[in-house]
Amino acid sequence: MILQYSEREQVYLLYRYGFTDDTEHTLIGTAIHFNLRESRAKKLEEDALDNLWLELPWWF
């Protein structure tokens, strides 16, 4: 199985939604953590969620 999303996207989403430290982080807080501009963080998040959606079984 070929993953549609990169390791970077995976790390970003895990941090953003609190899977790494049990704290959901804001978009701006996540952008600061990864040293990104807010617009780049938003685009990365959108792309990562779109790619993650492609990984789900067809019945979702």
Side-chain angles (χ1 to χ4, degrees):
M1 179 171 140
I2 298 173
L3 296 177
Q4 298 294 322
Y5 61 103
S6 69
E7 185 176 338
R8 180 180 183 186
E9 292 172 333
Q10 181 180 6
V11 170
Y12 179 91
L13 290 178
L14 289 173
Y15 180 82
R16 169 78 162 95
Y17 292 105
F19 291 102
T20 57
D21 60 0
D22 293 328
T23 303
E24 188 172 338
H25 301 276
T26 63
L27 178 66
I28 294 172
T30 305
I32 291 169
H33 178 79
F34 288 101
N35 198 25
L36 301 170
R37 293 182 184 190
E38 182 181 1
S39 59
R40 177 64 184 121
K42 186 174 183 178
K43 178 68 173 148
L44 178 64
E45 184 173 328
E46 289 173 355
D47 291 345
L49 290 173
D50 286 346
N51 291 334
L52 183 60
W53 178 255
L54 296 174
E55 297 296 320
L56 293 175
W58 63 269
W59 57 83
F60 275 97

